[in-house]
Amino acid sequence: AMLYHYGSRLELLTATVHFLVRRRLEMFEAAMQALTLREFDDAAAYRAATLEVTWAQLETMEFRAFSTLAAVARTDPELSEVVEPAILAFDHYREEVSARIFPVGTQEYLALRLARDIVRFLTEGVKQQDSIRIDREARIHALKAFLRELGTTQQGTDLIRKVVADIAAARDAAGDGDGDGDG
């Protein structure tokens, strides 16, 4: 029945993907604007709050729907042509949010990016796979606690900074220190 309003399956899917990405960006922007670094005692408390924002975003219908379409796009070339630019747009937006906090290319920026990627891809993987069955609540609680520990404690922050510094040093040693911030 929905195809009545659209000329083809692809037009319907394109409109759906665009709607879902727009909604996800709006929801993320609203949640991030509600958090300002000044409201927190330190950067660690801010990172803990962003972890909760990230997890809450994954509980939405918009994430579940987009995630399903992204999974289908892996085997549907036509849908992939719509989904891939949407994923890229979402990733660019998250980069912009990080750049508002720290200057691009700095060690702090790269550490924030790494921490954000760890949180994003671990939490998205948990939600997309939805395959934790045995002792589910305790295991999800443990994953969130691990991410909180990694992102908010001095030891976790030091580990992330060390990894970023090691990557930069290896890149510089290999002569690939182009400074483009692709750490």
Side-chain angles (χ1 to χ4, degrees):
M2 289 298 291
L3 286 177
Y4 174 79
H5 298 285
Y6 296 90
S8 68
R9 168 189 171 268
L10 184 59
E11 285 181 31
L12 170 62
L13 291 172
T14 300
T16 302
V17 166
H18 289 175
F19 170 78
L20 291 170
V21 169
R22 186 174 57 253
R23 283 288 303 136
R24 289 184 69 206
L25 290 175
E26 289 168 355
M27 291 171 6
F28 184 75
E29 178 70 27
M32 293 306 291
Q33 283 181 352
L35 303 176
T36 62
L37 194 53
R38 292 179 297 280
E39 294 176 19
F40 297 93
D41 296 336
D42 58 19
Y46 177 79
R47 289 191 301 270
T50 62
L51 170 61
E52 294 305 320
V53 165
T54 300
W55 195 267
Q57 297 283 307
L58 301 179
E59 298 288 337
T60 65
M61 175 279 305
E62 289 85 353
F63 173 77
R64 288 189 299 275
F66 186 83
S67 180
T68 300
L69 288 169
V72 171
R74 291 186 198 120
T75 58
D76 183 331
E78 191 177 53
L79 181 57
S80 179
E81 289 182 26
V82 176
V83 169
E84 286 303 316
I87 292 171
L88 183 61
F90 194 75
D91 217 25
H92 275 295
Y93 177 75
R94 293 176 74 95
E95 287 290 305
E96 289 173 24
V97 170
S98 296
R100 290 182 211 160
I101 300 168
F102 296 111
V104 174
T106 64
Q107 291 293 315
E108 287 299 322
Y109 172 85
L110 296 173
L112 176 64
R113 175 196 265 178
L114 176 58
R116 185 193 72 221
D117 286 348
I118 291 167
V119 168
R120 177 181 174 196
F121 295 115
L122 180 62
T123 56
E124 284 185 8
V126 167
K127 291 311 239 177
Q128 288 170 342
Q129 296 299 316
D130 195 26
S131 36
I132 297 177
R133 296 290 184 253
I134 299 170
D135 204 12
R136 179 180 175 80
E137 292 301 317
R139 290 168 69 193
I140 288 175
H141 178 75
L143 284 169
K144 288 172 77 174
F146 170 77
L147 291 172
R148 201 173 294 107
E149 188 78 15
L150 182 64
T152 64
T153 65
Q154 189 61 51
Q155 297 90 341
T157 300
D158 290 347
L159 176 62
I160 289 171
R161 286 183 178 143
K162 179 187 179 318
V163 168
V164 167
D166 289 351
I167 291 169
R171 182 179 286 163
D172 289 345
D176 190 25
D178 59 10
D180 65 2
D182 284 343

